[in-house]
Each structure stands twice: as C-alpha cells, then as structure tokens.
Amino acid sequence: MSAPFFEAHGISVQFGGLKAVDGVSFTVDKGEVFTIIGPNGAGKTTVFNIVSRIYDPSAGKVVLEGEDITEVPAHRIAKLGIARTFQNIELFEHATVLQNLLIGAHVHRTTNPVAEALFLPSVKRAEVALREKVEEVIDLLDLAVHRDSMVAGLPYGARKVVELGRALCTRPKLLLLDEPSSGLNVEETEDMAFWIEDITKDLGITVIMVEHDMTLVSRVSDRVLAMNQGRVLAMGSPAEVQRHPAVVEAYIGAPAGPGMAPLEKAS
Amino acid sequence: MRFIFKTRYEQDINLFQHGGQMFWYAVLGLVLMAAPFVVSSYVLTQLSQIFIYSIVAFGLMLLAGFTGQLSLGHAAFLAVGAYTEAVLAIAGVPFLVSVPLSGLFAAVVGIIVGLPALRVKGLYLGIATLAFGTIIEEIIARAEPITGGNAGLMVPPINLFGLRFADGPAFYYLAFAFALAAGLILINILRSPTGRAFVAIRDSEISAQSMGVNLAVYKTMSFAISAAFAGVAGALYAHNIRFLSPDQFTVVQSIELIMMVVIGGLGSIHGAVYGAIFLIALPQAINAVKPFLPLFLSEATGLQPTIFGLVLVLVVLFEPLGIYGAWLKTRTYFDLFPFYRQGMFRRQKAFQKSDRLK
Amino acid sequence: MQFIQLVISGLAQGCIYGLIALGFVLIYKATETVNFAQGELLMIGAFAGLFASTVLGLPYWLALVAAMIATAIVGFGLERVVLRPILGQSAVSIVMVTIGIGYMSRGLITMLPVVGTDTHTLPVPFRGEVFRVGGLVISAEHIVIIVTTIVLCALLAALFRYTKVGVAMQAMSQNQLAAYYMGIPVKRLSSLVWAIAAAVAAIAGILLAPLTFIHANMGLIGIKAFPAAVIGGFTSLPGAIVGGLIIGVVEQLAGFYLIEGFKDAAPFIVVLAMLIFKPNGLFGERLAKKV
C-alpha cells in the first residue's frame, strides 16, 4: 500500500501554558472528505492553522504526498496545492469578486513584474487565460451575478461562496474548509453540501473541513475526527463517531445512556 | 446612464472601457499639449510642478492606497532622487542616464526603508518611515562636500541630445511625458497579478499569504516602485526648481505628500492626480484671494497650513474617498437624475475595530 | 562629572518627551488612535499658561492649573466634535484627521493678533536659579520638570488603579465593543481620555517653556516623542516615560560625544533599531491576529 495522501503526525502546539493541540495524528486519503468536529476551543482551527503553516507546531510533522511540509513558509502552501477558507471570512473587502478570485489564481501567474509594467501582449494573453480559468469557478458556484460587485457590499452567504471560489481558483489538491456552513441559512447550507460533493467527485479535490452542522457532516463526510481540548476523542464514519461515548460526553457532559439521540446542530 | 455589454474578457483588461472614455482622455491630452501656447510661463512652471507631484502621488498611492503601507517619510525618496540627479548633472552625466539612476538609487533606499514593513504594520510603520525620513534629511544636510549641505545646491539645466530643456515649454512637455508614462505604468501594474497581490496585502495579509503571495517580496517591491517613482519625480523637481536644500524635504513635506493622496482619494489613480493639483494649486489660490482678505488674515503666515488642515479634516469627516469620491458622487447624481437618493453613499456607524491585530 | 551633568539634563528633556509620549499612549490605548496633534496640544497648553500668567496675572502654579483645564477642554471638544464622528474608520483616516487638527492649530495660533510668529517667554519664579551638589550644577528648571513628572505619574497611576473611571478605561482599552456591552460609557470615556491627554500635554508645554520659549511651532517636538512611545511599546504608560527618558539621555549624549548632526538623528536611529529588533517595544504586549 502506498503512502497516504495527507498525514498529520503527532502535531502539538502551545500558547503560553495552554496546549491548544496535543499530539493529534490522522491520515486522509485522496478524494476523501474528512471532517474534524468538536466543541468550541477543541483546537480544530488550530489544526488548520498548522496545516496551512500560519502556526508553527511545537512537535510533530505534516506530510503531503510523502513530502514533509512542516517547515514550508505559509506563502508556499498554495503552490503545493493546499488552499483554505477562514472561519470569519478573510476576503479582500475593497476589491470586486472577480479580483478576489483572480488573486486566488495568483500562484498560476506566468508573467513577471517588468512585463506587467509595460503590459506586453504576452501579459494580456496570460490575463485572458487566467480569467478563463476563473470563469470556470464562477460558473461552478453561480457567482456570475456578483462578478463585478465589491465584496464589502455582499451579503454573508455570498461571501462564504466567494471564499470557497477563491480557494478553488488556486486549483488545489487539498482544500481546507473552516466551518463552511456557519452563518448560512438552510438553503445556502444545502447549496454548500452540493458544492462540496461536486468538488470532491467532479474535481477530485480532497477536502478536510471543520464543521458543527452534523446534518451536513453526516451527508458529505467519509470519515470524521472528533476532538476535545486539543486531543483526539474518536475517529471513524460519521455515525460511529456520533455514537462514541467520549464524543457524547464532550458535547453533553454526561456519560451516554442507551437510546441517546445522535447529535444535531443546536439552532 | 451608459450600459456596457461585455462580450470579451479583453474588455475588462483594456485601458479604456468604452469609446467615450477614450474621447475625453484624448481631449484632455490635446488641451494639455496646447497649454504652452496659451498660458503664461509662470503658470506653465506650476503645471510642470503638478506633473512632477502627480508622479510622486502615483507612487505613494501605490504604496499607501493600494498596498496599505503608510509612509510618512516619502519626501526623503524625493530628496534622494533630486540630489542624485543634481550631482550627476553637475558631473556631466547625460539626462537619459541620470534619471534612471536617480530612480534606481531611490528604489534602493526605498527597499531599505521598507525593511521595517516586514516586521511592523500600520502606524508603527508610519513612525519607522518617519524616522528614516528624518535620518536621510539629516544625512543630506551633513554630507556637505556632495550635497552642499544647508547652503544648498544649484542644479544645471537638462542636457538632452545637445538640446537644453531649461525653458518652460520644453521642460513642460518632458514632465508631461514622464507623468503620462508613470500613470501608464501604475495602471498596468494594477491590472496585472502584481497589482492584485498588492491589493490583497492591503485587505488581508493573512489570506494573501494563504493565496501564495509572499508578503516580504511584495511589500518590498511596493516600497521600491513607490520610491523609484518619487526618485524620478525628484530628478525632474531638481531641474524645475533649480536649487536644492535639505529644508525642501523635511517631515513636514512628507506629511504634505500623504495629505495629497488622502485628499485626492486613497485607492484611486485619478485621486493621485487630483491630490497633486490640490497640493500645487492651493497656495496659488490662497495668494490670489489674499488681497481681498482682512489684514490679520492675509498677513498671517499660518493661513496656508490652516486651510490645509481644515480641508484634510473635512475630507476625512465628510468625503473619505477624497476629491475622487466627490467626483464619483456628482457623476452618479447626474447619471441617475432624478432618482439619486440621499443615503446612497452613507457609511455605516461602527465601533473602533482593533488594528493591533491586523 | 561631565557625563552625569549631561545625563541629568537628558533626563529633564526626557521627561518632556515622556509626557508627550504619555499622551500618545493614553489616547492610543483607549481609542487606538495615534494623535499626531499631541505636540500642538502642548503648544496650546503653553500659550494658555502664558495667557494666564501675563494677561490674567496668575502666579506660576495657578497658571499651570488654569492651562491644564483650558487645554483639557480643548482636548475634550476635539474628541467630541471631530473624532467621534469618524469612530470606526481606518486608523489612517483618523491619523490624518489629527494631522489636520495639528496643522490648523499651528496656523490659527499665528492669526491671533499679539501672538503671531514671535517667540514668547513664560515668567517663572525659579528662572536662572541653580543648585550645586558636589561638582554638579543643576538648574531649578530641570528639577521642577523631573519632580512634576514624578508627581503627575503617581497621580495617573492612582487614577487607573484605584478609581472606577480608571478601571473602566482599562477595560475599554482591552476591547471597546465588549466594554460598551458591559455598560461602560465608551464615548464619554473617550472624551475624558482626550481631556486627560491634553492636560498632560499642557503640563509638558509649561515645563518646556523655560527651555525653548513659546512659539507656534514648538509642537513639532511631538515628532521626537514618537520614538519615546514606540520604545515603551505604545501601550504602556510607564513605558512611555522610560522611553522618553532613554530618548532624552541618548540625545544629550549623542549631541556631546558624537559629531554634529547626530543629536537630532539619534532618537530616530534608536527607534529604528527598536522596530527592527524588538517591534513590540520594551513593555509592549505581543498580539497576533486570530483566524
């Protein structure tokens, strides 16, 4: 059997005395949707920040396709094929949706600044080519209506989609989605679920996501990892993890009794 | 109101969005070309000065308006360019060689000044650049053998292919050409990946980084380009003013430069030009109305700074996008007439968002 | 001996920088705005003191108090009229407004008929007096500066530690919105902080007056106080004073021991070194954005 597509090996990180993530290990196979769940403060986003190299882990390593990426600087991550979204949306507010998506395609630039300053014909051709790729994402995510709108004026749901689109424009192999459905209404969450399925099935992109909405988790995930206080509680299929006593205890605070209903998003 | 139906991606990339735009720019170009035949030589010198400050404004707009890096030491880059040009011109170096060298040297200084930008942000960066500006001013004042120190330095006229560009119209056309080129370069950078990376850094460093933008490289590049623009402008400035002394490039001038882009409209290329016009035209306008003012006002040396300060405060309070924003609103008003609504451009009330964590 | 002499005058000068820096830090902590007009508030304070002692004929210490009150009202008014409407705008916009206020105050003061662009002398009771301790000659002006600074710092420390208003201000400096939700009158406190910062500036102005005279451009000294605030970390009140003292002493020593020109550049060289090697200053808190 070949090496796994993605591997986190005993990663830990400390803030002062607090161990935010403590020896977390997991592997993700190619084409899988792998979800990390857990109560607030469990260290889920911190795991993302380690993988996308915003934080340095104090121990452990992160491996993508057999290559150790633990020491890679954050701006090289996109080039390696990892893209991410942010929990609280980090878009380029004072730019249009189209410009945001084009920045997503930044790693695929083929022109140099000198040629750009003169705007040589080659730059123009490259820009059109870049635009064509971006338009594919716009089509996929139905963003055409917002194409020339400023991000600052968009409703929350649309921003979430733009952020997903921006991540897709980097043409990633691995997509990290930090709470893709938070703040979305039922209909928008439904759309998001469809897109996540499209992304994995049609585009062949592996997805790791952090999510609270258990309906969405059960629907799209192949495997689920439950965390609490920086440690792994359980890992397995969505149904298995939801029934796992440690997971139930972490959410509800009491040992699981028989016949306990599976967790639903409190809303 | 004009609707443009786009059928090709090139339409978003091209310099002019539609024929009307091209027409008006052509008219403006012709008017500016004809100016030397109409206006007095004094006005012509002032117009040249506007071109020169437009170049500075383009550079500073790129840095402050599009990359979000505050520079409170920009006069130092102007000084580096001006003195380099003066010293090279005195040594007999031809203009076509000395101008690029002035820009290049200013860019090198810009890279050094930009170093703190890799570690600090926002106001801290402002203070770091202010510190650099003061130090550079001090160096120029003390390097007497080269710069003439506080006594100043006379600058010989431009010598280009044996032609002398000392007089009004010739220098005016030269400054016009340089301003046009600088504007084009700025537009080109902004409509290509480098410019988008700058905007990304301005709006969110953390996600710019995750999109593959190397913050150190692009911040340094922004400082270098911005300083190079100021350096070239400084070279022209040296020939337009013909006398350099350190007190032309103090912190106060740096602050006036940043005022220029804020009043013009941060984040807008047009705004840079409006700001330059404002900076050069305001003192002239004040001089023009002085005879009609009561004595205590017209005698006061503080009249100009007061009006400057007042305009700045009013702009930030009521027109955050500066002169460009005012123009935008006026145009929208007429475009939509009679359907313009009062609240269309109203800003949201907000609490202080923490900048410490940007 | 020469060295100690220089250090003492450096400390006195440093107290002035420290007091201006204190104003920066007070306003920055409470409202996250760097007040580029702090130097101009100092100038206004000095002129207010001049007015109180020459026109109204108040004795020195009463003139000091009167100047504090007058400048505090100016600071309060500025916050209320100019800064509050732009609360929540980008830091650069707010900084530009304070720069604009600085320009206006500098210009307007020259329009006052008797003030103009002249330099004025503030009458002080201890002018020219010196104390001799061993071989040291210490001028009374320097002692007054240092003692007043110490007293003022003690008062401010007490205000922040023991009064309800002080504690509320601390809360506000941590998180404005949260403080607002907890029922702290954030807007009124912002005005109050500006008033306090302006009063501190007035004291600095009156202390500075015997050293440099009073004139419209005396506020430009504020530019040298930025390094002081940065060295202190920009969020620490004791840090501001320590930073001021460092800048004052470094400037004096550089002016004496190094070649001409270093005196004016020295504070900026120190602050650049600080920003490159320890950007959070001596006492600053280290913060990183959460995503």
mmCIF file of all heavy atoms in Angstrom, chain B residues 309-338:
data_model
loop_
_atom_site.group_PDB
_atom_site.id
_atom_site.type_symbol
_atom_site.label_atom_id
_atom_site.label_comp_id
_atom_site.label_asym_id
_atom_site.label_seq_id
_atom_site.Cartn_x
_atom_site.Cartn_y
_atom_site.Cartn_z
ATOM 1 N N GLY B 309 -5.084 72.060 6.802
ATOM 2 C CA GLY B 309 -5.584 71.222 7.883
ATOM 3 C C GLY B 309 -7.095 71.106 7.835
ATOM 4 O O GLY B 309 -7.656 70.020 7.983
ATOM 5 N N LEU B 310 -7.738 72.243 7.579
ATOM 6 C CA LEU B 310 -9.197 72.263 7.541
ATOM 7 C C LEU B 310 -9.719 71.348 6.436
ATOM 8 O O LEU B 310 -10.623 70.533 6.653
ATOM 9 C CB LEU B 310 -9.681 73.698 7.320
ATOM 10 C CG LEU B 310 -11.191 73.903 7.369
ATOM 11 C CD1 LEU B 310 -11.696 73.649 8.778
ATOM 12 C CD2 LEU B 310 -11.571 75.303 6.923
ATOM 13 N N VAL B 311 -9.122 71.469 5.252
ATOM 14 C CA VAL B 311 -9.565 70.631 4.133
ATOM 15 C C VAL B 311 -9.381 69.159 4.482
ATOM 16 O O VAL B 311 -10.262 68.322 4.258
ATOM 17 C CB VAL B 311 -8.790 70.986 2.843
ATOM 18 C CG1 VAL B 311 -9.098 69.980 1.745
ATOM 19 C CG2 VAL B 311 -9.135 72.390 2.394
ATOM 20 N N LEU B 312 -8.230 68.852 5.077
ATOM 21 C CA LEU B 312 -7.948 67.458 5.430
ATOM 22 C C LEU B 312 -8.999 66.916 6.393
ATOM 23 O O LEU B 312 -9.549 65.825 6.198
ATOM 24 C CB LEU B 312 -6.555 67.373 6.051
ATOM 25 C CG LEU B 312 -6.027 65.977 6.301
ATOM 26 C CD1 LEU B 312 -5.866 65.247 4.994
ATOM 27 C CD2 LEU B 312 -4.701 66.035 7.030
ATOM 28 N N VAL B 313 -9.288 67.693 7.434
ATOM 29 C CA VAL B 313 -10.276 67.244 8.422
ATOM 30 C C VAL B 313 -11.639 67.072 7.749
ATOM 31 O O VAL B 313 -12.315 66.056 7.937
ATOM 32 C CB VAL B 313 -10.371 68.248 9.590
ATOM 33 C CG1 VAL B 313 -11.542 67.910 10.491
ATOM 34 C CG2 VAL B 313 -9.078 68.243 10.389
ATOM 35 N N LEU B 314 -12.016 68.062 6.927
ATOM 36 C CA LEU B 314 -13.329 67.979 6.278
ATOM 37 C C LEU B 314 -13.404 66.784 5.338
ATOM 38 O O LEU B 314 -14.426 66.099 5.263
ATOM 39 C CB LEU B 314 -13.614 69.277 5.520
ATOM 40 C CG LEU B 314 -13.813 70.514 6.411
ATOM 41 C CD1 LEU B 314 -14.050 71.745 5.560
ATOM 42 C CD2 LEU B 314 -14.978 70.296 7.371
ATOM 43 N N VAL B 315 -12.318 66.521 4.621
ATOM 44 C CA VAL B 315 -12.317 65.393 3.689
ATOM 45 C C VAL B 315 -12.549 64.089 4.436
ATOM 46 O O VAL B 315 -13.413 63.293 4.070
ATOM 47 C CB VAL B 315 -10.997 65.333 2.881
ATOM 48 C CG1 VAL B 315 -10.785 63.957 2.290
ATOM 49 C CG2 VAL B 315 -11.017 66.375 1.785
ATOM 50 N N VAL B 316 -11.784 63.879 5.520
ATOM 51 C CA VAL B 316 -11.934 62.608 6.222
ATOM 52 C C VAL B 316 -13.323 62.517 6.860
ATOM 53 O O VAL B 316 -13.948 61.456 6.880
ATOM 54 C CB VAL B 316 -10.823 62.409 7.269
ATOM 55 C CG1 VAL B 316 -11.003 61.089 7.984
ATOM 56 C CG2 VAL B 316 -9.463 62.454 6.601
ATOM 57 N N LEU B 317 -13.817 63.659 7.363
ATOM 58 C CA LEU B 317 -15.124 63.627 8.015
ATOM 59 C C LEU B 317 -16.257 63.368 7.021
ATOM 60 O O LEU B 317 -17.161 62.588 7.290
ATOM 61 C CB LEU B 317 -15.391 64.948 8.731
ATOM 62 C CG LEU B 317 -14.746 65.147 10.096
ATOM 63 C CD1 LEU B 317 -15.147 66.489 10.668
ATOM 64 C CD2 LEU B 317 -15.149 64.049 11.057
ATOM 65 N N PHE B 318 -16.194 64.031 5.890
ATOM 66 C CA PHE B 318 -17.371 64.008 5.021
ATOM 67 C C PHE B 318 -17.162 63.328 3.673
ATOM 68 O O PHE B 318 -18.115 63.010 2.986
ATOM 69 C CB PHE B 318 -17.860 65.446 4.787
ATOM 70 C CG PHE B 318 -18.217 66.147 6.057
ATOM 71 C CD1 PHE B 318 -17.433 67.183 6.537
ATOM 72 C CD2 PHE B 318 -19.314 65.748 6.800
ATOM 73 C CE1 PHE B 318 -17.751 67.813 7.721
ATOM 74 C CE2 PHE B 318 -19.637 66.377 7.987
ATOM 75 C CZ PHE B 318 -18.852 67.406 8.454
ATOM 76 N N GLU B 319 -15.922 63.115 3.275
ATOM 77 C CA GLU B 319 -15.695 62.582 1.936
ATOM 78 C C GLU B 319 -14.472 61.663 1.960
ATOM 79 O O GLU B 319 -13.431 61.993 1.400
ATOM 80 C CB GLU B 319 -15.452 63.768 0.973
ATOM 81 C CG GLU B 319 -15.665 63.457 -0.472
ATOM 82 C CD GLU B 319 -17.063 63.013 -0.780
ATOM 83 O OE1 GLU B 319 -17.920 63.871 -0.928
ATOM 84 O OE2 GLU B 319 -17.287 61.789 -0.875
ATOM 85 N N PRO B 320 -14.605 60.503 2.620
ATOM 86 C CA PRO B 320 -13.421 59.668 2.856
ATOM 87 C C PRO B 320 -12.710 59.244 1.567
ATOM 88 O O PRO B 320 -11.553 58.882 1.615
ATOM 89 C CB PRO B 320 -13.970 58.438 3.579
ATOM 90 C CG PRO B 320 -15.322 58.811 4.014
ATOM 91 C CD PRO B 320 -15.824 59.883 3.123
ATOM 92 N N LEU B 321 -13.389 59.268 0.454
ATOM 93 C CA LEU B 321 -12.708 58.916 -0.789
ATOM 94 C C LEU B 321 -12.121 60.147 -1.471
ATOM 95 O O LEU B 321 -11.722 60.098 -2.630
ATOM 96 C CB LEU B 321 -13.654 58.193 -1.746
ATOM 97 C CG LEU B 321 -13.951 56.756 -1.350
ATOM 98 C CD1 LEU B 321 -14.969 56.149 -2.276
ATOM 99 C CD2 LEU B 321 -12.689 55.915 -1.347
ATOM 100 N N GLY B 322 -12.097 61.244 -0.742
ATOM 101 C CA GLY B 322 -11.413 62.430 -1.231
ATOM 102 C C GLY B 322 -12.100 63.090 -2.411
ATOM 103 O O GLY B 322 -13.292 62.925 -2.634
ATOM 104 N N ILE B 323 -11.284 63.842 -3.154
ATOM 105 C CA ILE B 323 -11.829 64.572 -4.296
ATOM 106 C C ILE B 323 -12.424 63.583 -5.289
ATOM 107 O O ILE B 323 -13.470 63.827 -5.878
ATOM 108 C CB ILE B 323 -10.720 65.405 -4.967
ATOM 109 C CG1 ILE B 323 -10.132 66.401 -3.955
ATOM 110 C CG2 ILE B 323 -11.262 66.142 -6.188
ATOM 111 C CD1 ILE B 323 -8.940 67.164 -4.476
ATOM 112 N N TYR B 324 -11.765 62.438 -5.437
ATOM 113 C CA TYR B 324 -12.269 61.435 -6.367
ATOM 114 C C TYR B 324 -13.666 60.978 -5.953
ATOM 115 O O TYR B 324 -14.561 60.839 -6.791
ATOM 116 C CB TYR B 324 -11.321 60.243 -6.429
ATOM 117 C CG TYR B 324 -11.809 59.143 -7.328
ATOM 118 C CD1 TYR B 324 -11.848 59.340 -8.712
ATOM 119 C CD2 TYR B 324 -12.254 57.935 -6.815
ATOM 120 C CE1 TYR B 324 -12.320 58.361 -9.544
ATOM 121 C CE2 TYR B 324 -12.727 56.937 -7.652
ATOM 122 C CZ TYR B 324 -12.759 57.155 -9.010
ATOM 123 O OH TYR B 324 -13.229 56.188 -9.835
ATOM 124 N N GLY B 325 -13.848 60.784 -4.644
ATOM 125 C CA GLY B 325 -15.153 60.367 -4.128
ATOM 126 C C GLY B 325 -16.226 61.406 -4.417
ATOM 127 O O GLY B 325 -17.350 61.072 -4.813
ATOM 128 N N ALA B 326 -15.846 62.674 -4.254
ATOM 129 C CA ALA B 326 -16.799 63.756 -4.515
ATOM 130 C C ALA B 326 -17.210 63.743 -5.989
ATOM 131 O O ALA B 326 -18.388 63.870 -6.335
ATOM 132 C CB ALA B 326 -16.165 65.099 -4.157
ATOM 133 N N TRP B 327 -16.240 63.534 -6.848
ATOM 134 C CA TRP B 327 -16.494 63.457 -8.283
ATOM 135 C C TRP B 327 -17.420 62.293 -8.599
ATOM 136 O O TRP B 327 -18.385 62.409 -9.362
ATOM 137 C CB TRP B 327 -15.159 63.350 -9.025
ATOM 138 C CG TRP B 327 -15.188 62.670 -10.363
ATOM 139 C CD1 TRP B 327 -14.564 61.515 -10.704
ATOM 140 C CD2 TRP B 327 -15.858 63.122 -11.552
ATOM 141 N NE1 TRP B 327 -14.813 61.203 -11.999
ATOM 142 C CE2 TRP B 327 -15.606 62.164 -12.559
ATOM 143 C CE3 TRP B 327 -16.662 64.216 -11.860
ATOM 144 C CZ2 TRP B 327 -16.121 62.283 -13.840
ATOM 145 C CZ3 TRP B 327 -17.170 64.320 -13.152
ATOM 146 C CH2 TRP B 327 -16.893 63.369 -14.116
ATOM 147 N N LEU B 328 -17.142 61.144 -7.936
ATOM 148 C CA LEU B 328 -17.944 59.947 -8.164
ATOM 149 C C LEU B 328 -19.407 60.193 -7.803
ATOM 150 O O LEU B 328 -20.319 59.826 -8.548
ATOM 151 C CB LEU B 328 -17.382 58.830 -7.280
ATOM 152 C CG LEU B 328 -17.410 57.421 -7.803
ATOM 153 C CD1 LEU B 328 -16.607 57.326 -9.078
ATOM 154 C CD2 LEU B 328 -16.821 56.488 -6.751
ATOM 155 N N LYS B 329 -19.611 60.858 -6.667
ATOM 156 C CA LYS B 329 -20.976 61.127 -6.224
ATOM 157 C C LYS B 329 -21.689 62.074 -7.190
ATOM 158 O O LYS B 329 -22.849 61.861 -7.533
ATOM 159 C CB LYS B 329 -20.953 61.746 -4.824
ATOM 160 C CG LYS B 329 -20.757 60.721 -3.746
ATOM 161 C CD LYS B 329 -20.834 61.365 -2.383
ATOM 162 C CE LYS B 329 -20.249 60.424 -1.349
ATOM 163 N NZ LYS B 329 -20.116 61.077 -0.059
ATOM 164 N N THR B 330 -20.954 63.104 -7.586
ATOM 165 C CA THR B 330 -21.555 64.068 -8.510
ATOM 166 C C THR B 330 -21.965 63.367 -9.794
ATOM 167 O O THR B 330 -23.058 63.574 -10.321
ATOM 168 C CB THR B 330 -20.529 65.171 -8.849
ATOM 169 O OG1 THR B 330 -19.827 65.497 -7.664
ATOM 170 C CG2 THR B 330 -21.206 66.394 -9.405
ATOM 171 N N ARG B 331 -21.071 62.505 -10.293
ATOM 172 C CA ARG B 331 -21.368 61.829 -11.549
ATOM 173 C C ARG B 331 -22.572 60.909 -11.388
ATOM 174 O O ARG B 331 -23.473 60.892 -12.226
ATOM 175 C CB ARG B 331 -20.149 61.031 -11.998
ATOM 176 C CG ARG B 331 -20.148 60.796 -13.489
ATOM 177 C CD ARG B 331 -18.973 59.964 -13.909
ATOM 178 N NE ARG B 331 -18.955 58.687 -13.195
ATOM 179 C CZ ARG B 331 -17.968 57.800 -13.316
ATOM 180 N NH1 ARG B 331 -16.921 58.082 -14.071
ATOM 181 N NH2 ARG B 331 -18.009 56.666 -12.676
ATOM 182 N N THR B 332 -22.584 60.169 -10.262
ATOM 183 C CA THR B 332 -23.716 59.274 -10.027
ATOM 184 C C THR B 332 -25.019 60.060 -9.951
ATOM 185 O O THR B 332 -26.052 59.636 -10.464
ATOM 186 C CB THR B 332 -23.510 58.497 -8.713
ATOM 187 O OG1 THR B 332 -22.176 58.038 -8.685
ATOM 188 C CG2 THR B 332 -24.445 57.335 -8.605
ATOM 189 N N TYR B 333 -24.942 61.250 -9.317
ATOM 190 C CA TYR B 333 -26.133 62.084 -9.193
ATOM 191 C C TYR B 333 -26.704 62.402 -10.564
ATOM 192 O O TYR B 333 -27.902 62.250 -10.814
ATOM 193 C CB TYR B 333 -25.767 63.370 -8.446
ATOM 194 C CG TYR B 333 -26.925 64.316 -8.296
ATOM 195 C CD1 TYR B 333 -27.829 64.166 -7.255
ATOM 196 C CD2 TYR B 333 -27.120 65.352 -9.203
ATOM 197 C CE1 TYR B 333 -28.900 65.016 -7.116
ATOM 198 C CE2 TYR B 333 -28.187 66.216 -9.072
ATOM 199 C CZ TYR B 333 -29.076 66.046 -8.034
ATOM 200 O OH TYR B 333 -30.142 66.885 -7.897
ATOM 201 N N PHE B 334 -25.843 62.815 -11.471
ATOM 202 C CA PHE B 334 -26.340 63.174 -12.791
ATOM 203 C C PHE B 334 -26.727 61.948 -13.615
ATOM 204 O O PHE B 334 -27.671 61.975 -14.383
ATOM 205 C CB PHE B 334 -25.312 64.032 -13.536
ATOM 206 C CG PHE B 334 -25.281 65.430 -13.011
ATOM 207 C CD1 PHE B 334 -24.217 65.878 -12.253
ATOM 208 C CD2 PHE B 334 -26.351 66.288 -13.232
ATOM 209 C CE1 PHE B 334 -24.208 67.165 -11.746
ATOM 210 C CE2 PHE B 334 -26.353 67.575 -12.721
ATOM 211 C CZ PHE B 334 -25.279 68.007 -11.972
ATOM 212 N N ASP B 335 -25.970 60.850 -13.410
ATOM 213 C CA ASP B 335 -26.311 59.604 -14.119
ATOM 214 C C ASP B 335 -27.721 59.152 -13.768
ATOM 215 O O ASP B 335 -28.474 58.686 -14.612
ATOM 216 C CB ASP B 335 -25.325 58.492 -13.717
ATOM 217 C CG ASP B 335 -24.102 58.500 -14.614
ATOM 218 O OD1 ASP B 335 -24.111 59.288 -15.586
ATOM 219 O OD2 ASP B 335 -23.162 57.746 -14.346
ATOM 220 N N LEU B 336 -28.048 59.259 -12.473
ATOM 221 C CA LEU B 336 -29.304 58.686 -12.004
ATOM 222 C C LEU B 336 -30.436 59.698 -11.965
ATOM 223 O O LEU B 336 -31.549 59.351 -11.614
ATOM 224 C CB LEU B 336 -29.125 58.107 -10.600
ATOM 225 C CG LEU B 336 -28.170 56.929 -10.478
ATOM 226 C CD1 LEU B 336 -28.123 56.457 -9.039
ATOM 227 C CD2 LEU B 336 -28.593 55.798 -11.389
ATOM 228 N N PHE B 337 -30.105 60.966 -12.265
ATOM 229 C CA PHE B 337 -31.090 62.026 -12.129
ATOM 230 C C PHE B 337 -32.419 61.627 -12.767
ATOM 231 O O PHE B 337 -32.422 61.131 -13.881
ATOM 232 C CB PHE B 337 -30.554 63.298 -12.782
ATOM 233 C CG PHE B 337 -31.422 64.479 -12.520
ATOM 234 C CD1 PHE B 337 -31.322 65.161 -11.322
ATOM 235 C CD2 PHE B 337 -32.353 64.892 -13.462
ATOM 236 C CE1 PHE B 337 -32.127 66.243 -11.072
ATOM 237 C CE2 PHE B 337 -33.166 65.973 -13.205
ATOM 238 C CZ PHE B 337 -33.046 66.651 -12.004
ATOM 239 N N PRO B 338 -33.527 61.751 -12.140
ATOM 240 C CA PRO B 338 -33.769 62.335 -10.812
ATOM 241 C C PRO B 338 -33.946 61.295 -9.704
ATOM 242 O O PRO B 338 -34.694 61.538 -8.767
ATOM 243 C CB PRO B 338 -35.074 63.083 -11.049
ATOM 244 C CG PRO B 338 -35.806 62.203 -12.017
ATOM 245 C CD PRO B 338 -34.785 61.437 -12.806
#
